Amino acid sequence: MTVNEIKKYRKKDAYSYSFGSFPTFELLQTKPELLEMILVHSDINTEIQNKLDSECKMASVKIIQSDRHIEKIRDKDNCFMIGVFKKYHCKLNHNDNHVVLVNPSDTGNLGTIIRSCVGFGITNLAIIEPAVDIFHPKVIRAAMGAVFKMKFEYFSCFSRYDQEYGNDREYYPFMLNGMYRLGTFEHPGNKSYSLIFGNEASGLDDSYLKVGKSVVISHAHSIDSLNLSMAVGIGIYEFGKS
């Protein structure tokens, strides 16, 4: 593609953007083959520009300085670097532990969850539709580029995920009416597991009580529930300890 083809992000397009230097460097270092170009603004920090010049030269990625194109697509005035990259598809690893998100709807939450997952060693994410677009620039930014270290796959429903990855795997749906309190049991060390979380507003419906061992995160009764990204962070941390 050419720089003149760049426009505001649309889900239907074959490319997306990494807004800011940190996620763009993560993209450059992790998946340079996806990069079409990196746009820089004339106000970019000199030290960052020098680092970018060096890494792009090694990776054979072109840099284009264009204030006009950056200002056209960025959503914050302090964004001075944007990576333009091709969207791609992944398959999950059957033998690894997974996080499963059922109908996530918030870009910031999804990005934060991805960053936490990678930080605690879970790099496989199943997303049950309808769901937010993982390639939305707000997700990329909230994940601080960690999305490029994550395998992810979309499924039309949970049963499709179960058909493909459920064999010899332990399921742990996190629910307000879960049967087992987090931290009071151990999961089998010889089996991979999937931690399942519901939508930010509605959580998981009662049908998930029949899916594996349902888990509740105990908290004070002065709130009705935890934020989704917080619940996922607590869940993956606790399971990572055992």
Side-chain angles (χ1 to χ4, degrees):
M1 67 180 300
T2 67
V3 69
N4 290 325
E5 295 177 79
I6 290 173
K7 49 185 170 288
K8 287 280 190 180
Y9 177 77
R10 299 181 303 176
K11 185 177 181 179
K12 67 179 182 179
D13 290 334
Y15 58 89
S16 185
Y17 308 115
S18 57
F19 288 168
S21 59
F22 196 97
T24 303
F25 275 119
E26 284 291 300
L27 172 58
L28 178 59
Q29 293 160 7
T30 307
K31 286 183 164 51
E33 71 280 2
L34 298 176
L35 275 161
E36 294 280 352
M37 67 189 77
I38 293 179
L39 302 174
V40 295
H41 195 278
S42 58
D43 290 335
I44 192 172
N45 175 278
T46 302
E47 184 177 347
I48 292 175
Q49 177 74 69
N50 291 338
K51 179 182 178 183
L52 181 65
D53 290 342
S54 175
E55 295 199 14
C56 283
K57 183 177 181 180
M58 289 189 292
S60 299
V61 173
K62 62 183 175 182
I63 302 171
I64 296 177
Q65 181 174 316
S66 176
D67 292 8
R68 178 170 65 90
H69 287 95
I70 284 190
E71 290 164 5
K72 178 181 177 181
I73 62 175
R74 70 184 181 184
D75 58 359
K76 291 187 177 182
D77 290 342
N78 63 349
C79 175
F80 304 125
M81 183 193 302
I82 296 175
V84 183
F85 68 94
K86 293 174 286 190
K87 294 179 180 179
Y88 56 98
H89 297 282
C90 305
K91 292 290 289 183
L92 306 183
N93 189 319
H94 280 269
N95 299 320
D96 288 349
N97 300 320
H98 299 171
V99 163
V100 180
L101 300 181
V102 179
N103 313 138
S105 60
D106 184 90
T107 53
N109 271 341
L110 181 56
T112 302
I113 287 167
I114 291 169
R115 189 180 182 192
S116 297
C117 284
V118 172
F120 288 113
I122 294 185
T123 55
N124 288 260
L125 176 66
I127 304 173
I128 311 302
E129 297 175 310
V132 68
D133 173 18
I134 198 169
F135 286 118
H136 195 290
K138 290 183 179 180
V139 176
I140 307 296
R141 182 172 56 207
M144 294 296 283
V147 65
F148 304 118
K149 298 177 179 178
M150 174 75 80
K151 294 182 178 69
F152 58 88
E153 195 171 346
Y154 279 83
F155 300 87
S156 59
C157 59
F158 181 77
S159 62
R160 288 291 180 90
Y161 168 77
D162 182 45
Q163 289 168 11
E164 187 160 353
Y165 293 102
N167 187 41
D168 199 32
R169 171 177 293 275
E170 295 291 329
Y171 285 147
Y172 296 94
F174 280 66
M175 310 176 67
L176 291 176
N177 56 344
M179 296 288 292
Y180 299 89
R181 187 161 57 89
L182 182 65
T184 62
F185 61 90
E186 293 185 3
H187 62 83
N190 60 340
K191 285 189 175 183
S192 299
Y193 58 78
S194 296
L195 308 184
I196 308 167
F197 299 86
N199 173 268
E200 290 89 343
S202 57
L204 295 173
D205 64 56
D206 285 349
S207 67
Y208 283 89
L209 289 169
K210 301 175 183 178
V211 176
K213 179 180 287 188
S214 60
V215 180
V216 59
I217 301 174
S218 299
H219 56 73
H221 294 298
S222 52
I223 60 170
D224 60 351
S225 63
L226 296 169
N227 173 272
L228 175 60
S229 61
M230 178 66 72
V232 175
I234 292 171
I236 58 179
Y237 174 76
E238 188 65 35
F239 268 75
K241 287 164 50 179
S242 52

